[in-house]
Amino acid sequence: MTELRASAAAPVKPAGAAALSDSQVLARRRRRRMLRSLSAYGLVLPAAGFYIFFVLRPIVLSAQFSFYDWNGIAPATWVGFDNYIEVFSNPKLVGSILNAFELILYFSVIPVVIALLAANVIRAIATGRLATVSRTVLFLPQVIPLVAAGIMWSWQLSTDGLVNQILRLIGLGGLTRAWLGDFTTALPAVGVIGAWVQVGLCLVLILAGMTKIDPALYEAARIDGAGPIREFLAITLPGVRQEVAVCVTVTVISALASFDIIYIATQGGPGESTLVPGLQIFYLAFYQREIGMASAFAIVLMALVLVVVLPLQRILRGRES
């Protein structure tokens, strides 16, 4: 009888996972979290490997080469910061940087303004078939390869191209010229090509931002007597601030790092009127065999992009940044 009472009074040990102590349970949880982390890192590792090998490694090597005088074959000679001093003292290299900053007006400001106005009009007629056609037509240049766009516009802007034919047709034959071969119009003509390409991307991004704006805001503004311009300035423009920031960032980078269109359309000419840093780096590295100078110019270009883009993002994103 006493044995039965003792066995009844003894605590029953739980079976399975409940039988584990707190420390063992915590250890199991840690192992599970570690396995999840390892599996996540395993998924990221291939992309990280490509990024390190094809992006970070070239940047590090360029920074290393920028301190040497090297033609790519013969032994390199240490020159310190001489290449960087040459970048900022050589009028040809400084001129290419100034050309790139001028292209910001055509590659960034004009496309963003046109996209804002076009998106506002398309939003107003969103239910109509014309809106779909407009979106398609304006986005079409974005899917055309830049090389093809450069070749096509080179034909249109030539002496006997479509632009000059239209000018002659409407009685403005005195304005005709080889737009890409004139010192005064070559850079603006290249800028027009870039603006034509960039409008589509900006339009799609801004239209996507407009869809998240509450329609009740527009109804309330109309009740208060606001007109279309007031609606645009007070509701639409603040509502698409994030999308405008993305557009400006992408297009400014395209302007400062432009290469494809200019190489196809003008190759930096006439003279050096359309020479930009990307094209100059290409010529320095592969034509003049000045690897050290080209690497220094590439590092300077990367620094310029960061110096321009990061403050722009903070300004355009405002408080949300």
Side-chain angles (χ1 to χ4, degrees):
M1 192 71 174
T2 57
E3 292 176 356
L4 291 173
R5 288 177 181 175
S7 62
V12 179
K13 292 183 178 180
L20 298 175
S21 64
D22 292 342
S23 61
Q24 290 174 321
V25 172
L26 290 174
R28 277 195 173 187
R29 290 177 180 173
R30 289 196 195 96
R31 283 196 296 270
R32 289 174 183 172
R33 281 197 296 266
M34 188 179 296
L35 288 174
R36 291 195 198 101
S37 300
L38 289 175
S39 62
Y41 284 124
L43 294 173
V44 173
L45 189 60
F50 275 96
Y51 184 80
I52 291 171
F53 188 81
F54 291 105
V55 178
L56 297 183
R57 179 175 172 271
I59 292 175
V60 172
L61 290 176
S62 296
Q64 177 186 352
F65 296 155
S66 66
F67 296 104
Y68 290 87
D69 180 13
W70 185 42
N71 63 2
I73 301 174
T77 304
W78 173 266
V79 294
F81 289 94
D82 288 355
N83 288 329
Y84 290 96
I85 295 173
E86 178 68 16
V87 168
F88 291 105
S89 61
N90 189 323
K92 183 177 180 180
L93 303 184
V94 174
S96 67
I97 295 175
L98 296 178
N99 288 340
F101 276 99
E102 186 175 342
L103 284 179
I104 292 177
L105 171 66
Y106 299 99
F107 278 60
S108 182
V109 178
I110 293 176
V112 171
V113 171
I114 292 175
L116 276 170
L117 298 177
N120 196 48
V121 173
I122 291 173
R123 181 191 59 80
I125 58 172
T127 56
R129 186 175 298 176
L130 181 60
T132 303
V133 175
S134 301
R135 282 195 297 266
T136 303
V137 171
L138 290 173
F139 185 72
L140 188 61
Q142 189 64 35
V143 301
I144 297 176
L146 294 179
V147 173
I151 294 173
M152 180 183 69
W153 275 97
S154 297
W155 294 340
Q156 306 304 323
L157 295 171
S158 64
T159 305
D160 297 324
L162 181 63
V163 173
N164 286 333
Q165 291 180 19
I166 293 175
L167 289 175
R168 294 189 187 99
L169 186 64
I170 61 177
L172 297 176
L175 298 178
T176 60
R177 65 190 67 194
W179 298 94
L180 292 172
D182 191 293
F183 282 88
T184 57
T185 60
L187 191 61
V190 170
V192 168
I193 302 173
W196 178 77
V197 171
Q198 299 292 343
V199 165
L201 175 63
C202 296
L203 175 70
V204 171
L205 290 175
I206 292 172
L207 274 176
M210 288 183 178
T211 58
K212 70 181 183 183
I213 300 176
D214 189 354
L217 295 175
Y218 292 102
E219 295 176 4
R222 294 190 192 100
I223 293 173
D224 291 339
I229 297 177
R230 184 63 180 171
E231 286 181 11
F232 176 78
L233 295 176
I235 300 174
T236 305
L237 200 55
V240 296
R241 174 184 290 178
Q242 297 293 320
E243 287 72 22
V244 170
V246 173
C247 291
V248 170
T249 301
V250 172
T251 53
V252 166
I253 293 174
S254 298
L256 295 177
S258 56
F259 174 82
D260 313 63
I261 293 176
I262 297 176
Y263 181 74
I264 294 298
T266 65
Q267 295 186 357
E272 299 167 3
S273 59
T274 59
L275 195 63
V276 291
L279 197 59
Q280 182 63 67
I281 292 168
F282 174 75
Y283 287 150
L284 284 172
F286 296 101
Y287 282 79
Q288 301 175 25
R289 307 295 296 176
E290 296 183 11
I291 307 300
M293 182 67 69
S295 299
F297 202 9
I299 296 298
V300 169
L301 177 60
M302 183 180 68
L304 283 175
V305 170
L306 294 176
V307 167
V308 173
V309 167
L310 294 181
L312 275 177
Q313 282 194 324
R314 292 187 64 85
I315 293 170
L316 292 172
R317 291 180 183 272
R319 295 177 182 177
E320 298 180 9
S321 62

